[in-house]
Amino acid sequence: MVKAVLVIPQATAAVIERLGRYRTTAAPGLNILVPFFDRVRARIDLREQVVSFPPQPVITKDNLTVSIDTVVYFQVTDPRAAVYEISNYIVGVEQLATTTLRNLVGGMSLEETLTSRDEINNQLRGVLDEATGRWGIRVARVELKAIDPPPSIQDSMEKQMRADREKRAMILNAEGQREASIKTAEGQKQSQILSAEGAKQASILAAEAERQSRILRAQGERAARYLQAQGQAKAIEKVFAAIKAGKPTPEVLAYQYLQTLPQMAQGDANKVWLVPSDYGKALEGFARMLGAPGEDGVFRYEPSAEEPPASRPEEDDASVAEWFDTAPDPAVAEAVRAAEAVARKEVPSPLAEPPAPSLGRGADPARELGGPAAPGGGVAEQAGPPYA
């Protein structure tokens, strides 16, 4: 009774023989055997199995020996074929994988072998699956676990990799230096452009300030000369009025003349002065002609009965009243405020906005600076603030 009852676990199959011949494949569960006639030939695991084969030396196309580890994932689908078609299907799969791998890698160079693992895996799995189909085995996948070149080749590969990385590092360093030089040159270019623009604006404002300064200075000199002429006219008027009021005699005029002679002789070019002897007679004739004899018989100057002038020298004309206006010019004050606003304005970053185009050859500077163009090609003068 014990030999008649057979229990098969799940995911396992048993090949049953009767009198040495294949009878059936026992499924998982309870199975009834005929004692002494039926026996279990082999128990087959139906789960997917993983077999790692030892490293195999393989010669590549460029005559280099590499060691390759292979991992095969397979599953028994037909227990009868796995028992009767091959004596040991695991050894058969191992040897078939080794020979197929040598055939595939033998047609590749070392570089192709290292970079074509997926291609080798797919070709190897196809060959194994086709060859093991009649054994009742399905190959799920094949993986190359490791490909180890000889130590000398590994050293050469490390040197090559190190040289390649050093090369890329030098290239990246050169690229960085080039980018830094380009950025530095761009910054210097933007700085020079902004400096030139600032110098241009400063020169324009300085020229405009010099023009306004000269105009104001000329107006001041004109007003000063006018005041000086008024003062001289007033002084002459007072002197002649005093002379007329004093009724001078020829002797007084001669005395004043003699007092003036030393002052006239103070010049470096005046060396000799000749005083005419008949100067007294000339003054006497002048007094007789313009004067009138007094009670004492002396001729004295008598002013003519003429009307006084309509305007006095100290009186200002309405046309020159604005010469003495000390109030600041509104246009000049507006130009100063505009210059201060431009000076306090923040300069934009050259990385955020493109720089303002500079004046090229043939460009109109008046249009670049905001003023109208003169007919002759120059900059026309504006009535208001020059560069507000």
Side-chain angles (χ1 to χ4, degrees), residues 189-205 342 347-348 354-360 365 368-369:
K189 173 185 174 182
Q190 297 294 336
S191 176
Q192 292 178 359
I193 290 175
L194 294 177
S195 299
E197 290 291 335
K200 180 183 71 175
Q201 295 292 338
S203 300
I204 293 173
L205 293 178
V342 172
V347 179
S358 59
L359 293 178
E368 295 289 340
L369 299 175

Side-chain angles (χ1 to χ4, degrees), residues 207-256:
E208 184 64 23
E210 180 67 19
R211 184 177 72 88
Q212 295 290 339
S213 175
R214 290 185 178 181
I215 292 174
L216 295 177
R217 192 179 297 112
Q219 292 177 353
E221 292 178 357
R222 180 182 64 176
R225 291 181 180 179
Y226 183 81
L227 292 177
Q228 185 178 4
Q230 277 190 338
Q232 291 178 357
K234 185 67 176 178
I236 294 173
E237 180 185 3
K238 294 294 183 181
V239 170
F240 274 92
I243 292 174
K244 292 178 181 179
K247 297 181 180 181
T249 60
E251 291 81 2
V252 176
L253 295 177
Y255 178 72
Q256 289 292 333

Side-chain angles (χ1 to χ4, degrees), residues 86 101 123 171 184 189 227 281 300 381:
I86 187 171
L101 181 63
Q123 293 183 7
I171 292 174
T184 303
K189 173 185 174 182
L227 292 177
K281 293 181 180 181
R300 291 179 172 85
E381 182 178 356

Side-chain angles (χ1 to χ4, degrees), residues 40-111:
V40 177
R41 171 68 185 271
R43 295 176 181 264
I44 305 299
D45 191 352
L46 300 180
R47 295 173 298 178
E48 186 173 347
Q49 302 180 38
V50 180
V51 180
S52 177
F53 300 136
Q56 300 294 328
V58 181
I59 299 176
T60 61
K61 184 179 180 180
D62 46 1
N63 297 325
L64 294 175
T65 302
V66 295
S67 179
I68 301 178
D69 294 347
T70 309
V71 179
V72 179
Y73 298 82
F74 67 93
Q75 184 180 10
V76 177
T77 58
D78 188 359
R80 177 182 175 280
V83 173
Y84 293 105
E85 296 296 334
I86 187 171
S87 61
N88 191 339
Y89 57 85
I90 294 180
V91 176
V93 170
E94 178 182 359
Q95 296 300 323
L96 184 60
T98 301
T99 55
T100 306
L101 181 63
R102 288 179 177 177
N103 292 333
L104 293 176
V105 176
M108 298 181 179
S109 63
L110 179 61
E111 295 291 338

Side-chain angles (χ1 to χ4, degrees), residues 328-353:
D329 189 1
V332 176
E334 182 65 23
V336 172
R337 285 193 297 271
E340 291 179 352
V342 172
R344 294 190 180 95
K345 185 177 180 181
E346 182 179 0
V347 179
S349 174
L351 300 179
E353 297 179 0

